Amino acid sequence: MKKMTRTLCAAALLALSAAGAPAQILIGQTAGMTGSVAAGVNETIGGAQLVIDAVNAQGGIHGEKIEMIRMDDAFDVKRASENARVLIEDKKVLALFMSRGTPHSQAIIPWLDKYDVALIGPSTGAMVLHKPLQKHVFNVRATYQREAEKAVQHLLTIGLTRIAVVHVTDSFGADALEGAMTGFTKGKAKPVVTIPADREKPDYKSIVPAIKDADAQAVVWIGSGVAVVDGIKALRAAGSAAQVVTLSNNASSGFIKQLGDASRGVIVTQVFPNERSLGQPMVKEALALAQAKGQAELSPATLEGFASAKVLVEALRRAGPKPTRAKIVAALDSLRGYDLGGGLEVSYSPQDHSGIDFADLSIISDGKFKR
């Protein structure tokens, strides 16, 4: 009898403890937190965490705090897919957030569709995530095609007509190349040379001579992280002064640091307003939260993470108390005119999951992005 009483008391105490424990909203993320894109990925995570920490400090969403479960895929497609499976099937996350990479995000989609799970703010501007519509993918940033088109148009406008294009040989590279070719077509021009580059092991000994032999005045370099860094360094070491333009997947402070002295004058396309535009409400909000944590400034990658996390939080709010996977998808599908700040509006519908159509250019000078 005494043993039974003790058991009942212990059970009661456990129940009271569980009742008093704060509930958690589990959100999953797989991305290359190590490897070739780690610098940018970790800056986007830092930006997202500014929003999540601020929300949790105020009691969370409907009394539940957001808990991020992050898994490193080292920018490997197979690991990204397996991580997504673990997060959805085993960890029971309610949504996925900010995957990195085009083929990586594509590899996640079957798991999203199987379990009715939203992927919010993938850190890729791949058109394949926009058209045809992916039911469970909710984009925040602009497309790579828009960026690449704008980059080519800019070069042609300033009189650089001998333009080479280097593109990684994966779905990201093919996607961005299509945008670049649209820019050439609109400018009634053609690239002087188009050079494929292996994603894992680019052959700079053949890429750089091809650029020099074409007497290129500029290079649109479509690739990720370290691969682009090493390519630019090899180009400069070979004596080429060609203007280099790369896309916003490389818009991070870490990218600049990795380039070192080779960073000066490199142009990087952007998908959000200038991170030093303090008159822009979203930038002002992000900087205030960053400075409260002892961070002196923002980077473009930080701002991307911040914007995507704001969309995540808004979706959770609209999903109501005790959100489910289906409620989050429904909340996103009904999101109309959500202002991230300063007129940067995000709207979704069951027919359109595109993000903000914003593309700009910035040049690296004195170790910083300047527009």
Side-chain angles (χ1 to χ4, degrees), residues 49-99:
Q49 205 60 43
L50 292 175
V51 176
I52 293 165
D53 288 348
V55 168
N56 285 344
Q58 296 173 2
I61 309 293
H62 304 297
E64 296 184 277
K65 293 188 176 182
I66 301 170
E67 180 182 338
M68 295 296 303
I69 302 177
R70 296 188 172 101
M71 297 183 68
D72 179 20
D73 58 41
F75 207 49
D76 179 82
V77 175
K78 290 182 179 178
R79 282 181 62 178
S81 176
E82 175 59 13
N83 285 355
R85 184 199 66 76
V86 170
L87 289 165
I88 292 171
E89 288 189 342
D90 300 342
K91 302 298 184 181
K92 309 298 182 184
V93 299
L94 293 177
L96 292 185
F97 178 69
M98 286 205 86
S99 55

Side-chain angles (χ1 to χ4, degrees), residues 327-347:
K327 285 181 179 179
I328 292 171
V329 171
L332 286 161
D333 268 335
S334 63
L335 191 67
R336 305 284 190 278
Y338 173 56
D339 191 355
L340 294 171
L344 288 173
E345 290 190 353
V346 177
S347 294

Side-chain angles (χ1 to χ4, degrees), residues 79-334:
R79 282 181 62 178
S81 176
E82 175 59 13
N83 285 355
R85 184 199 66 76
V86 170
L87 289 165
I88 292 171
E89 288 189 342
D90 300 342
K91 302 298 184 181
K92 309 298 182 184
V93 299
L94 293 177
L96 292 185
F97 178 69
M98 286 205 86
S99 55
R100 174 64 181 259
T102 301
H104 311 71
S105 299
Q106 287 178 287
I108 290 171
I109 290 175
W111 299 112
L112 306 178
D113 292 344
K114 181 177 181 179
Y115 291 100
D116 196 22
V117 174
L119 168 61
I120 301 168
S123 189
T124 166
M127 185 61 75
V128 293
L129 301 183
H130 291 253
K131 295 180 181 179
L133 176 78
Q134 297 293 340
K135 179 181 178 181
H136 295 102
V137 178
F138 295 85
N139 300 284
V140 176
R141 67 188 327 281
T143 66
Y144 289 137
Q145 288 193 18
R146 179 80 175 90
E147 293 182 55
E149 177 186 339
K150 188 176 181 68
V152 171
Q153 289 177 330
H154 168 77
L155 293 172
L156 292 173
T157 299
I158 63 175
L160 300 180
T161 56
R162 298 189 61 79
I163 304 169
V165 179
V166 179
H167 64 95
V168 64
T169 53
D170 63 10
S171 53
F172 157 54
D175 186 43
L177 177 62
E178 185 174 339
M181 295 309 296
T182 298
F184 282 112
T185 299
K186 289 183 177 180
K188 298 181 179 180
K190 293 182 179 180
V192 292
V193 63
T194 302
I195 308 167
D198 183 78
R199 184 165 67 90
E200 299 298 334
K201 295 181 179 179
D203 183 8
Y204 303 114
K205 290 182 179 179
S206 63
I207 294 171
V208 171
I211 294 171
K212 292 193 70 179
D213 290 347
D215 192 25
Q217 298 168 299
V219 183
V220 177
W221 207 303
I222 301 166
S224 296
V226 175
V228 177
V229 167
D230 290 344
I232 294 172
K233 286 181 177 179
L235 187 65
R236 296 297 182 243
S240 173
Q243 174 71 69
V244 176
V245 186
T246 190
L247 303 187
S248 66
N249 60 308
N250 294 319
S252 71
S253 297
F255 179 73
I256 297 176
K257 291 176 182 176
Q258 289 170 343
L259 273 173
D261 294 339
S263 68
R264 186 178 295 275
V266 173
I267 293 175
V268 184
T269 56
Q270 306 288 353
V271 290
F272 291 100
N274 191 323
E275 65 278 7
R276 291 184 298 282
S277 298
L278 299 185
Q280 212 284 338
M282 184 179 70
V283 175
K284 185 177 180 180
E285 178 189 3
L287 184 59
L289 290 174
Q291 289 177 336
K293 286 190 168 188
Q295 302 172 24
E297 57 186 12
L298 305 171
S299 74
T302 304
L303 205 56
E304 180 179 351
F306 186 86
S308 295
K310 284 178 70 74
V311 174
L312 166 67
V313 167
E314 185 63 19
L316 293 174
R317 285 192 177 121
R318 297 188 183 209
K322 304 299 178 186
T324 64
R325 292 168 172 177
K327 285 181 179 179
I328 292 171
V329 171
L332 286 161
D333 268 335
S334 63

